[in-house]
Amino acid sequence: MGITRTAEAGGPAAADPRRWWGLVVIALAQLMVVLDATIVNIALPSAQRDLGMSDANRQWVITAYTLAFGGLLLLGGRIADLVGRKRTFIIGLIGFAGASALGGAATGSGMLFGARALQGAFAAVLAPSALSLLTTTFTDPKERGKAFGIYGALAGSGSAIGFIVGGLLTEYLNWRWCLYVNIPIAIVAVFGAFALLHDRPGHTGARLDVPGVLLGCGGLVAIVYGFSEAQPRGWGDPLVLTLFAVGAVLLAVFVWWQSRAPMPLLPLHIVKDRNRAGCFLTMGLATIGMFGLFLFMTYYLQVVLGYSPVKTGLGFLPLTAAIITGSTQISARLMNRVPPRMLMVPGMILAAGGMLLLTRMTVDSSYATEILPALILMGLGMGLTFMPVFATATAGVAPQDSGVTSATVNTSQQVGGSIGTALLNTIATSSSATYIAAHLHNPAQRALVAKEGVVHGYTVAIWCAAGIMLLAGLVAGLMVTARAPRQGAPAEVPVPEPVA
């Protein structure tokens, strides 16, 4: 599948008429991977009761997935380059479906935690394969803009869609269907991949950089694990500090080794490129703020405003619609006319503006007048930002490096999400405790003061998230200097010959 050029003369492009159906398959897989990071959030209380999980251990339903996903992405991306993207795409789909079935049938908390870790491991193979297939398929700037608009919309809104689907499945079926729902999606995507996707063979002569795998993946796992443990333990906990120190040392040695390895896991020229580095940083900072917001708004709508799981999920629907609109109707249309940072900077300013509106929320805020406008602004900002980030970060990459480049974009997103959840939740919790201690003068008002304290903690954390969004906009404005693609010119990416 894809757009190809003759190797010798660079002749006219020949487009596979089924490439847009192939995009549907790729988009389904991406939606499944992103959605699973949040779909179990709303179902977590039910799963905890059913399996007898302790409050201390319940976080592993989320952490096991993000830890394996974020920690193994570089390995998954390089495997896709060595083995072939279509092959690893299908393997990832089948493995993800199997892990989902195992989790849905879990009879104990350990079985569920293990299944979620397996999901994350197969997602680490699937996500970079999907993005690199998209990168090497759509090279015409106009088509590339549309394709990345759809992909960016799913990447940005998948988490919010997870809350909606999780709420519906939990309320009308049970929490196990939040995992089982992946099976039919994966089956459709596997059949679609066999029929519609084409890819060149993997680099059979190349070898995997084993020291790089141990150093890079070990460092990422330590960092992501450290942030996940910072949430329940606190930032000064010895285990947390040790994990951060070990992670930093491993990543430093990893960078040193990559400059000397004969076949590096992550070729340093990928991250030394100014535009790509700017996109990686922008993505990481943006998701710090976004994932923190998802956590706060879920608890705010359910605990403070008393919404049901379904109503909470539907409360995120305008955010999802705004992300899709910003990505497919604004970014995709302007991508070929303006430089990427002219979309990314306004996008981050819009998202930060939406967050600033949320800092005004109280224990009895109106959804329609105070929450809804903020979600729409945030969604439009994310939609404007994510599509040019994905498109710019993967432009101009040789086919043998497209998998690991795609993995690096996804790593920025996953690590940013882990940092955001831990960092902003810690800020919110400590701010709430300080507020309650200062305002609890009458024991009879304990419940009201506690609720006000929780909301105060959320608003303080959202102020921080807004600042991080503005920092992301500054990074994009200063580092991403790429120009708009020339009309009618192919994207700067070497495209392989078509393979059936």
Side-chain angles (χ1 to χ4, degrees):
M1 180 185 94
I3 300 168
T4 60
R5 288 177 288 170
T6 58
E8 295 78 20
D16 186 332
R18 301 183 300 170
R19 65 196 178 282
W20 292 104
W21 285 108
L23 174 61
V24 172
V25 173
I26 295 169
L28 267 179
Q30 174 64 17
L31 176 62
M32 184 176 68
V33 167
V34 178
L35 178 148
D36 251 70
T38 57
I39 192 172
V40 299
N41 280 35
I42 292 178
L44 188 52
S46 300
Q48 183 180 359
R49 287 193 302 269
D50 197 9
L51 300 180
M53 280 182 264
S54 67
D55 288 344
N57 286 335
R58 67 184 177 185
Q59 62 149 336
W60 281 102
V61 176
I62 310 298
T63 305
Y65 182 80
T66 57
L67 185 61
F69 191 7
L72 298 176
L73 267 165
L74 283 180
L75 175 60
R78 184 47 89 193
I79 289 173
D81 289 332
L82 298 180
V83 176
R85 288 170 285 275
K86 177 179 175 179
R87 185 179 300 173
T88 52
F89 183 80
I90 292 171
I91 291 170
L93 283 170
I94 295 171
F96 199 93
S100 300
L102 184 66
T107 55
S109 57
M111 185 175 173
L112 179 59
F113 299 156
R116 289 288 286 168
L118 269 179
Q119 278 187 311
F122 282 109
V125 173
L126 181 58
S129 301
L131 182 54
S132 55
L133 280 168
L134 182 67
T135 300
T136 55
T137 295
F138 294 93
T139 56
D140 176 80
K142 189 173 182 180
E143 290 194 343
R144 187 177 173 88
K146 292 178 182 178
F148 273 92
I150 295 168
Y151 186 91
L154 290 172
S157 63
S159 298
I161 294 172
F163 288 118
I164 299 169
V165 176
L168 290 168
L169 293 174
T170 302
E171 189 151 324
Y172 293 114
L173 292 171
N174 61 52
W175 67 268
R176 296 180 186 276
W177 281 96
C178 292
L179 295 161
Y180 287 146
V181 70
N182 294 314
I183 299 172
I185 297 175
I187 290 172
V188 171
V190 166
F191 281 107
F194 275 117
L196 299 168
L197 299 183
H198 304 279
D199 185 32
R200 60 186 253 163
H203 299 268
T204 53
R207 292 183 179 181
L208 194 62
D209 174 19
V210 176
V213 169
L214 297 175
L215 292 167
C217 294
L220 284 174
V221 166
I223 294 290
V224 175
Y225 186 25
F227 276 109
S228 66
E229 285 297 300
Q231 186 176 337
R233 290 174 177 267
W235 293 95
D237 184 82
L239 175 63
V240 173
L241 295 176
T242 300
L243 286 167
F244 285 151
V246 170
V249 169
L250 287 175
L251 290 179
V253 178
F254 171 75
V255 172
W256 171 83
W257 171 251
Q258 293 308 282
S259 65
R260 289 159 176 78
M263 295 180 181
L265 178 68
L266 175 61
L268 292 183
H269 66 81
I270 290 173
V271 291
K272 284 181 178 178
D273 179 87
R274 177 173 180 161
N275 290 300
R276 268 192 284 277
C279 287
F280 298 152
L281 279 174
T282 301
M283 173 62 79
L285 291 168
T287 50
I288 285 176
M290 185 180 73
F291 273 69
L293 178 81
F294 286 153
L295 178 70
F296 299 142
M297 292 311 299
T298 300
Y299 277 90
Y300 177 76
L301 294 175
Q302 284 198 75
V303 177
V304 178
L305 297 187
Y307 284 17
S308 68
V310 168
K311 193 174 180 181
T312 299
L314 293 176
F316 283 99
L317 190 58
L319 174 68
T320 304
I323 291 174
I324 293 172
T325 300
S327 189
T328 62
Q329 300 305 311
I330 302 176
S331 273
R333 294 174 185 271
L334 295 177
M335 181 181 168
N336 300 321
R337 296 183 173 89
V338 300
R341 64 178 171 182
M342 296 302 293
L343 296 171
M344 294 159 66
V345 175
M348 286 293 91
I349 292 173
L350 270 179
M355 286 197 159
L356 290 177
L357 289 181
L358 286 177
T359 61
R360 302 166 56 196
M361 67 186 186
T362 64
V363 294
D364 53 3
S365 289
S366 165
Y367 176 86
T369 58
E370 297 176 67
I371 308 300
L372 179 60
L375 295 180
I376 291 174
L377 277 179
M378 269 209 65
L380 288 173
M382 288 296 180
L384 279 173
T385 303
F386 279 170
M387 193 277 276
V389 164
F390 282 120
T392 305
T394 56
V397 180
Q400 65 267 23
D401 290 331
S402 65
V404 75
T405 304
S406 303
T408 309
V409 183
N410 280 285
T411 299
S412 301
Q413 188 175 15
Q414 287 302 311
V415 173
S418 297
I419 293 172
T421 301
L423 174 64
L424 297 178
N425 189 62
T426 302
I427 293 171
T429 303
S430 58
S431 299
S432 295
T434 302
Y435 181 93
I436 293 170
H439 291 80
L440 186 58
H441 305 301
N442 184 355
Q445 295 182 323
R446 180 179 295 274
L448 176 61
V449 172
K451 189 177 285 190
E452 289 175 344
V454 168
V455 176
H456 172 76
Y458 291 167
T459 57
V460 171
I462 290 171
W463 272 107
C464 297
I468 294 170
M469 290 286 190
L470 291 175
L471 178 59
L474 180 63
V475 167
L478 294 177
M479 294 187 67
V480 183
T481 58
R483 298 179 180 180
R486 297 194 311 275
Q487 291 290 331
E492 296 178 4
V493 55
V495 181
E497 292 298 312
V499 176

